[in-house]
Each structure stands twice: as C-alpha cells, then as structure tokens.
Amino acid sequence: MADLLCAERIGSVSESVADLDPTIFSDRRVLDNLLTEESRYIPRCNYFATVQTGLLPFMRKVVATWMMEVCEEERCESQVFSIAVNLLDRFLCEVRVDKTQLQMVACVCLLVASKVRQCHALSVHKLEHYTDYSVSSDQIRQFEVVLLAHLRWDLSAVTGYDLVDHVMERITWSRDQYPLVRRHAKTLVDLCYLEPYLFRTPPSLIASGCLLAAARGLKVPEASVASICALTRCCPEDVTRTASHIETLMHEVAFATPRSPPSPALAAPKSAHPHDHDTDVTTPTDVDYIFF
C-alpha cells in the first residue's frame, strides 16, 4: 500500500496550495477529456438578444465584478469565481429574470460554486450581508433549488482556469518562469470571465489566449503560439487574435480610474473580517495595478 502524503503547503494566509497530482497532470487523457467536454458548458445562446430582454451587457459585468470581490474578500479557492460566472451565464440562457433579481442569482451561483470547488461553502448569511441585505437568506436557499433544476445538476463545468495548468505542464518554455506565467495567466482568465462579450468563448481559447498574453507580457523566451495550439486544438490565428484582445483589455483595465458603483446593492462587499492584502513583489506590474 502506498503511503498517504499531504502535500499541501500552508505558509501564507492568502494562499494554501497543494502540489499538482502527477497521476492527473501527467496523463494526456485528462486534458483530452476536458477539451472534449468543454462544449457542453459553453452558454448555448447570446441571452441578451433572446432570453434576457431586460438585461444589458454592462449589468452582467457589474454583477460579475461584485462576484469577484466577494470571492476575494472570502478568500475563495481560485476556481470558484469562473465556475460561478459560468453557472450564471448558463442559467440566464434558460430562465428570464428581472434586473432586480440578477444579484440574487449571482449569490446562488457563488454558493453552488463554492460547494463544488472548495471544502467549505460560502455562508448564506455572509452572502446576504454582501448584498447589503437586499437579498434574504431564504431567497438564496429557495432559488438554489431553481438553479439546480434548470442546470440539471450539471455543475462541474470546464473553464479556462482548469486548462491552464494542464497546458503549462506540457510546454517546455514555461519552466523557468512557471510561477509567474501561471499567476499572470490565471489573473487574465479571471479578467476574461468579467467581460460580457467573451462569455461564449470556448475555455480552451480563453486559456490559450491568456497563456500567450502572459508569456508576451513577461517576455518569456521561446514562447510560441504553435506549442499552445498543439495542446488545446485551437486555431493559431484565433489564439493570436484573442491574446491581442486580452492585452488591449488588460491595458484598459490597468489604467482605468475607480468608478462609483451604479447601485448600493452591488457595491464592494462589506468586509466581515477586515484584512490587509499584501502585494507580491514578484507579480508583474501590469497585473498588480489592475482595478477590478
């Protein structure tokens, strides 16, 4: 019998990370299965033009930004945000909601995503608090059943975040700057999930574009779009175009001035346990100064 080993490193308040499982990340079949399954989790339509006639793209961006802020405040696992946004988009393809219900749906998506992707689920009462009590705990609990029913309990979606590590484990040019490339790429993935015009972009294309943009930003030698596309099955032209689009978006966000939230209920979450966020000195400057 093999010895059981806990490889989790708990040396930082902000991040506790376990080593990548070699059984999963050394088997190409896992990456192939992710690429095969990703089409199931792409929102089936542009719901702004069909289902959600009362919602506008900027509303989706506002609520997605609020979701990211809640995840940061509660120090959620990194995958929770992208899964929650995917659940939100897929649900909005199925059920028409009023704009006053959008934050309630976002709360339920965060709750469900935290149950799927981390050990401890978000507290319903904290979610209620973060909405400035515009959504009640009972509403969140009741609507959770509605969301699960319409998504047919198919919750463990494939996102761009899932694919980044699998690709990085197989490209040789990322070895020297692995932690930086990984962190930069995953920050860009989160940025992509904020944008309403990217919500139907395949996860493989998001991951590919973010990796290429990260490598360019960090000036990684020998970085090539061909090596990424060989793993993700994406068209090189599409990846190059997506990376350029992400770089433009990152530049716009990095130098944007903070804006007042359009609605008190969607303001930055009120901290339930205030803490200081230290800046990692190894993080590229353009990532440090992104304003979400």
Side-chain angles (χ1 to χ4, degrees), residues 53-262:
T53 55
L55 298 182
L56 296 173
F58 85 88
M59 298 177 185
R60 190 264 194 194
K61 184 167 184 175
V62 169
V63 80
T65 302
W66 176 82
M67 293 166 75
M68 173 177 278
E69 290 171 347
V70 171
C71 289
E72 290 176 346
E73 191 67 32
E74 287 299 308
R75 299 183 183 272
C76 293
E77 294 290 337
S78 303
Q79 306 95 322
V80 170
F81 171 69
S82 56
I83 285 286
V85 174
N86 179 266
L87 297 177
L88 175 68
D89 288 329
R90 287 162 55 205
F91 180 80
L92 293 178
C93 288
E94 305 299 329
V95 180
R96 180 176 299 177
V97 300
D98 188 82
K99 61 184 179 181
T100 59
Q101 298 174 302
L102 187 58
Q103 192 172 29
M104 178 185 66
V105 179
C107 284
V108 175
C109 292
L110 284 171
L111 177 63
V112 172
S114 69
K115 291 180 178 181
V116 172
R117 287 299 180 103
Q118 64 182 29
C119 297
H120 303 287
L122 288 171
S123 164
V124 174
H125 295 293
K126 283 186 178 180
L127 290 172
E128 178 185 30
H129 169 76
Y130 287 139
T131 67
D132 202 19
Y133 299 96
S134 62
V135 178
S136 70
S137 298
D138 287 341
Q139 286 178 311
I140 296 173
R141 292 191 184 97
Q142 292 168 9
F143 207 82
E144 182 181 9
V145 179
V146 177
L147 181 131
L148 294 173
H150 281 280
L151 295 182
R152 299 175 180 84
W153 291 79
D154 192 0
L155 308 174
S156 188
V158 178
T159 69
Y161 201 98
D162 298 317
L163 292 164
V164 168
D165 284 330
H166 284 277
V167 175
M168 289 195 65
E169 281 296 297
R170 291 171 171 81
I171 50 179
T172 57
W173 50 259
S174 70
R175 292 292 180 265
D176 293 339
Q177 300 188 56
Y178 184 94
L180 282 179
V181 175
R182 181 178 186 269
R183 177 169 179 168
H184 197 167
K186 291 193 171 183
T187 298
L188 296 180
V189 169
D190 284 343
L191 186 61
C192 289
Y193 278 89
L194 287 175
E195 295 303 315
Y197 52 81
L198 292 176
F199 78 92
R200 299 194 67 213
T201 303
S204 55
L205 185 54
I206 287 179
S208 300
C210 290
L211 279 168
L212 182 59
R216 286 176 177 176
L218 295 167
K219 297 179 173 60
V220 177
E222 301 180 1
S224 70
V225 65
S227 59
I228 297 175
C229 293
L231 294 166
T232 61
R233 308 174 188 171
C234 292
C235 172
E237 290 77 13
D238 290 342
V239 173
T240 302
R241 183 169 55 252
T242 301
S244 299
H245 194 71
I246 292 170
E247 288 166 345
T248 301
L249 176 64
M250 181 174 63
H251 184 271
E252 292 174 354
V253 175
F255 294 99
T257 55
R259 295 172 297 176
S260 299

